[in-house]
Amino acid sequence: MKRRGFSIFEVIIMVGLMAMLFIIAVGNLNRPHRTELRSLAGVMEASYPAPTGYVVDEAGILSEVTETEISVLAKDLAAGDGPEVAVVTVVNIEPETMEEYAIKLAERWQVGKAGIDNGVILLVVPSERKLRIEVGRGAEAVLTDAEAQRIVDKTIVPFFKRGDMDSGIRAGVAAIVAELKEAGDGGHR
């Protein structure tokens, strides 16, 4: 039996396949595997701003007038045993989700009166086009998740869609404060 050699076409195909396998193998050498990514995520932690007032605008999207108006509304609401409202804008929340970041921020800042947990945080991440209203347990009877989402969808987002984050945040805080004041007894029913 005589052995037949490879045709030029077969040689080209084999060389091409070997080159592709080599490229794939070399490309994967520098990429971390999924388990490595998970362990790296455990080491990385999001950056949290310091609580310097009722408004912390790290993303730089609020005017001084809006910051002042929100601070006055929040200070007035917090008088006595009233609930506390904070507005926080940040550039990045990675590797956290919005919910995780908002909860950890609330825990770090301790927004709301001690023992009552009646704080509310309006968190905005403009670079990711995300926002969330995080409500402490002591204010949830007044400002439910459904009501908070209604404020986001009907009050804040329409301004954001027009490119006016400043007015959207101001209107959102005004709606949050109005809802909490409506309870009339410090943000809990």
Side-chain angles (χ1 to χ4, degrees), residues 53-55 64-79 83 85 87 173 177 181:
Y54 293 110
V55 180
E64 286 185 36
V65 170
T66 295
E67 285 190 38
T68 302
E69 286 178 14
I70 292 171
S71 293
V72 168
L73 277 173
K75 186 176 181 181
D76 179 51
L77 181 68
V85 176
V87 174
V173 171
V177 168
K181 279 187 172 182

mmCIF file of all heavy atoms in Angstrom, residues 53-55 64-79 83 85 87 173 177 181:
data_model
loop_
_atom_site.group_PDB
_atom_site.id
_atom_site.type_symbol
_atom_site.label_atom_id
_atom_site.label_comp_id
_atom_site.label_asym_id
_atom_site.label_seq_id
_atom_site.Cartn_x
_atom_site.Cartn_y
_atom_site.Cartn_z
ATOM 1 N N GLY A 53 -22.784 66.195 54.672
ATOM 2 C CA GLY A 53 -23.989 67.010 54.749
ATOM 3 C C GLY A 53 -25.155 66.235 54.165
ATOM 4 O O GLY A 53 -25.036 65.056 53.849
ATOM 5 N N TYR A 54 -26.274 66.919 53.998
ATOM 6 C CA TYR A 54 -27.450 66.283 53.419
ATOM 7 C C TYR A 54 -27.275 66.006 51.930
ATOM 8 O O TYR A 54 -27.988 65.190 51.356
ATOM 9 C CB TYR A 54 -28.705 67.138 53.640
ATOM 10 C CG TYR A 54 -29.119 67.236 55.086
ATOM 11 C CD1 TYR A 54 -28.984 68.430 55.791
ATOM 12 C CD2 TYR A 54 -29.646 66.136 55.747
ATOM 13 C CE1 TYR A 54 -29.364 68.514 57.119
ATOM 14 C CE2 TYR A 54 -30.036 66.208 57.077
ATOM 15 C CZ TYR A 54 -29.886 67.410 57.761
ATOM 16 O OH TYR A 54 -30.267 67.487 59.079
ATOM 17 N N VAL A 55 -26.352 66.723 51.291
ATOM 18 C CA VAL A 55 -26.089 66.549 49.863
ATOM 19 C C VAL A 55 -24.597 66.322 49.663
ATOM 20 O O VAL A 55 -23.774 67.129 50.097
ATOM 21 C CB VAL A 55 -26.539 67.794 49.057
ATOM 22 C CG1 VAL A 55 -26.251 67.602 47.580
ATOM 23 C CG2 VAL A 55 -28.001 68.115 49.295
ATOM 24 N N GLU A 64 -25.249 74.878 42.913
ATOM 25 C CA GLU A 64 -25.180 75.298 44.324
ATOM 26 C C GLU A 64 -26.558 75.635 44.857
ATOM 27 O O GLU A 64 -26.869 75.352 46.018
ATOM 28 C CB GLU A 64 -24.242 76.490 44.467
ATOM 29 C CG GLU A 64 -22.776 76.119 44.333
ATOM 30 C CD GLU A 64 -21.853 77.308 44.590
ATOM 31 O OE1 GLU A 64 -22.183 78.147 45.460
ATOM 32 O OE2 GLU A 64 -20.815 77.374 43.921
ATOM 33 N N VAL A 65 -27.388 76.232 44.018
ATOM 34 C CA VAL A 65 -28.751 76.599 44.425
ATOM 35 C C VAL A 65 -29.533 75.343 44.795
ATOM 36 O O VAL A 65 -30.196 75.297 45.840
ATOM 37 C CB VAL A 65 -29.469 77.390 43.299
ATOM 38 C CG1 VAL A 65 -30.940 77.574 43.604
ATOM 39 C CG2 VAL A 65 -28.789 78.727 43.068
ATOM 40 N N THR A 66 -29.442 74.309 43.968
ATOM 41 C CA THR A 66 -30.156 73.062 44.249
ATOM 42 C C THR A 66 -29.625 72.404 45.511
ATOM 43 O O THR A 66 -30.403 71.931 46.349
ATOM 44 C CB THR A 66 -30.062 72.093 43.050
ATOM 45 O OG1 THR A 66 -30.752 72.686 41.946
ATOM 46 C CG2 THR A 66 -30.672 70.745 43.356
ATOM 47 N N GLU A 67 -28.316 72.380 45.666
ATOM 48 C CA GLU A 67 -27.731 71.801 46.890
ATOM 49 C C GLU A 67 -28.253 72.524 48.125
ATOM 50 O O GLU A 67 -28.612 71.889 49.118
ATOM 51 C CB GLU A 67 -26.202 71.867 46.841
ATOM 52 C CG GLU A 67 -25.589 70.842 45.915
ATOM 53 C CD GLU A 67 -24.083 70.752 46.057
ATOM 54 O OE1 GLU A 67 -23.573 70.846 47.198
ATOM 55 O OE2 GLU A 67 -23.415 70.579 45.024
ATOM 56 N N THR A 68 -28.313 73.835 48.058
ATOM 57 C CA THR A 68 -28.803 74.630 49.195
ATOM 58 C C THR A 68 -30.275 74.354 49.458
ATOM 59 O O THR A 68 -30.687 74.147 50.607
ATOM 60 C CB THR A 68 -28.570 76.132 48.945
ATOM 61 O OG1 THR A 68 -27.178 76.349 48.729
ATOM 62 C CG2 THR A 68 -29.058 76.975 50.105
ATOM 63 N N GLU A 69 -31.100 74.336 48.405
ATOM 64 C CA GLU A 69 -32.535 74.076 48.561
ATOM 65 C C GLU A 69 -32.787 72.701 49.190
ATOM 66 O O GLU A 69 -33.611 72.565 50.096
ATOM 67 C CB GLU A 69 -33.248 74.163 47.212
ATOM 68 C CG GLU A 69 -33.410 75.569 46.691
ATOM 69 C CD GLU A 69 -34.083 75.605 45.330
ATOM 70 O OE1 GLU A 69 -34.656 74.584 44.893
ATOM 71 O OE2 GLU A 69 -34.026 76.672 44.693
ATOM 72 N N ILE A 70 -32.060 71.691 48.693
ATOM 73 C CA ILE A 70 -32.233 70.338 49.234
ATOM 74 C C ILE A 70 -31.788 70.286 50.687
ATOM 75 O O ILE A 70 -32.457 69.684 51.535
ATOM 76 C CB ILE A 70 -31.461 69.308 48.381
ATOM 77 C CG1 ILE A 70 -32.116 69.181 47.005
ATOM 78 C CG2 ILE A 70 -31.403 67.957 49.084
ATOM 79 C CD1 ILE A 70 -31.307 68.365 46.006
ATOM 80 N N SER A 71 -30.686 70.927 51.005
ATOM 81 C CA SER A 71 -30.185 70.943 52.386
ATOM 82 C C SER A 71 -31.184 71.594 53.333
ATOM 83 O O SER A 71 -31.403 71.102 54.446
ATOM 84 C CB SER A 71 -28.837 71.665 52.455
ATOM 85 O OG SER A 71 -27.855 70.927 51.761
ATOM 86 N N VAL A 72 -31.815 72.682 52.902
ATOM 87 C CA VAL A 72 -32.809 73.370 53.731
ATOM 88 C C VAL A 72 -34.030 72.467 53.942
ATOM 89 O O VAL A 72 -34.525 72.325 55.069
ATOM 90 C CB VAL A 72 -33.210 74.730 53.108
ATOM 91 C CG1 VAL A 72 -34.442 75.308 53.778
ATOM 92 C CG2 VAL A 72 -32.052 75.709 53.176
ATOM 93 N N LEU A 73 -34.519 71.847 52.849
ATOM 94 C CA LEU A 73 -35.659 70.921 52.974
ATOM 95 C C LEU A 73 -35.334 69.774 53.928
ATOM 96 O O LEU A 73 -36.133 69.425 54.796
ATOM 97 C CB LEU A 73 -36.003 70.329 51.604
ATOM 98 C CG LEU A 73 -36.873 71.126 50.660
ATOM 99 C CD1 LEU A 73 -36.952 70.440 49.296
ATOM 100 C CD2 LEU A 73 -38.264 71.309 51.234
ATOM 101 N N ALA A 74 -34.150 69.185 53.761
ATOM 102 C CA ALA A 74 -33.751 68.039 54.585
ATOM 103 C C ALA A 74 -33.579 68.426 56.045
ATOM 104 O O ALA A 74 -33.990 67.688 56.948
ATOM 105 C CB ALA A 74 -32.466 67.425 54.032
ATOM 106 N N LYS A 75 -32.985 69.592 56.284
ATOM 107 C CA LYS A 75 -32.768 70.045 57.661
ATOM 108 C C LYS A 75 -34.101 70.314 58.349
ATOM 109 O O LYS A 75 -34.305 69.942 59.510
ATOM 110 C CB LYS A 75 -31.899 71.302 57.664
ATOM 111 C CG LYS A 75 -31.511 71.758 59.045
ATOM 112 C CD LYS A 75 -30.578 72.949 58.985
ATOM 113 C CE LYS A 75 -30.183 73.367 60.384
ATOM 114 N NZ LYS A 75 -29.294 74.529 60.389
ATOM 115 N N ASP A 76 -35.020 70.939 57.627
ATOM 116 C CA ASP A 76 -36.348 71.227 58.174
ATOM 117 C C ASP A 76 -37.088 69.926 58.504
ATOM 118 O O ASP A 76 -37.695 69.801 59.559
ATOM 119 C CB ASP A 76 -37.151 72.057 57.167
ATOM 120 C CG ASP A 76 -38.547 72.367 57.665
ATOM 121 O OD1 ASP A 76 -38.687 72.858 58.807
ATOM 122 O OD2 ASP A 76 -39.511 72.107 56.906
ATOM 123 N N LEU A 77 -37.002 68.950 57.612
ATOM 124 C CA LEU A 77 -37.675 67.671 57.821
ATOM 125 C C LEU A 77 -37.094 66.920 59.022
ATOM 126 O O LEU A 77 -37.812 66.294 59.794
ATOM 127 C CB LEU A 77 -37.545 66.803 56.564
ATOM 128 C CG LEU A 77 -38.215 65.440 56.604
ATOM 129 C CD1 LEU A 77 -39.732 65.584 56.645
ATOM 130 C CD2 LEU A 77 -37.786 64.608 55.405
ATOM 131 N N ALA A 78 -35.778 66.998 59.193
ATOM 132 C CA ALA A 78 -35.094 66.236 60.237
ATOM 133 C C ALA A 78 -35.249 66.831 61.633
ATOM 134 O O ALA A 78 -34.857 66.187 62.615
ATOM 135 C CB ALA A 78 -33.606 66.121 59.901
ATOM 136 N N ALA A 79 -35.819 68.018 61.731
ATOM 137 C CA ALA A 79 -35.988 68.645 63.045
ATOM 138 C C ALA A 79 -36.749 67.709 63.981
ATOM 139 O O ALA A 79 -37.699 67.046 63.591
ATOM 140 C CB ALA A 79 -36.731 69.971 62.890
ATOM 141 N N PRO A 83 -37.710 62.293 59.922
ATOM 142 C CA PRO A 83 -36.814 61.476 59.113
ATOM 143 C C PRO A 83 -35.715 62.320 58.463
ATOM 144 O O PRO A 83 -35.865 63.529 58.317
ATOM 145 C CB PRO A 83 -37.735 60.866 58.051
ATOM 146 C CG PRO A 83 -38.958 61.687 58.058
ATOM 147 C CD PRO A 83 -39.064 62.362 59.381
ATOM 148 N N VAL A 85 -33.209 62.870 55.116
ATOM 149 C CA VAL A 85 -33.074 62.608 53.687
ATOM 150 C C VAL A 85 -31.695 63.057 53.251
ATOM 151 O O VAL A 85 -31.258 64.159 53.591
ATOM 152 C CB VAL A 85 -34.149 63.363 52.864
ATOM 153 C CG1 VAL A 85 -33.941 63.149 51.375
ATOM 154 C CG2 VAL A 85 -35.545 62.924 53.268
ATOM 155 N N VAL A 87 -28.998 63.129 49.736
ATOM 156 C CA VAL A 87 -28.830 62.963 48.297
ATOM 157 C C VAL A 87 -27.352 62.706 48.044
ATOM 158 O O VAL A 87 -26.499 63.466 48.503
ATOM 159 C CB VAL A 87 -29.294 64.219 47.526
ATOM 160 C CG1 VAL A 87 -28.973 64.081 46.044
ATOM 161 C CG2 VAL A 87 -30.776 64.459 47.742
ATOM 162 N N VAL A 173 -36.558 65.060 45.540
ATOM 163 C CA VAL A 173 -36.429 65.301 46.989
ATOM 164 C C VAL A 173 -37.681 65.983 47.520
ATOM 165 O O VAL A 173 -38.185 65.631 48.595
ATOM 166 C CB VAL A 173 -35.154 66.108 47.309
ATOM 167 C CG1 VAL A 173 -35.145 66.546 48.765
ATOM 168 C CG2 VAL A 173 -33.915 65.289 46.989
ATOM 169 N N VAL A 177 -39.886 64.449 50.492
ATOM 170 C CA VAL A 177 -40.167 65.225 51.704
ATOM 171 C C VAL A 177 -41.670 65.397 51.889
ATOM 172 O O VAL A 177 -42.190 65.236 53.007
ATOM 173 C CB VAL A 177 -39.441 66.599 51.653
ATOM 174 C CG1 VAL A 177 -39.947 67.533 52.744
ATOM 175 C CG2 VAL A 177 -37.936 66.400 51.763
ATOM 176 N N LYS A 181 -43.625 64.155 55.127
ATOM 177 C CA LYS A 181 -44.346 65.132 55.956
ATOM 178 C C LYS A 181 -45.815 64.808 56.072
ATOM 179 O O LYS A 181 -46.437 65.106 57.083
ATOM 180 C CB LYS A 181 -44.170 66.548 55.393
ATOM 181 C CG LYS A 181 -42.890 67.215 55.774
ATOM 182 C CD LYS A 181 -42.897 68.662 55.310
ATOM 183 C CE LYS A 181 -41.708 69.390 55.866
ATOM 184 N NZ LYS A 181 -41.715 70.809 55.458
#
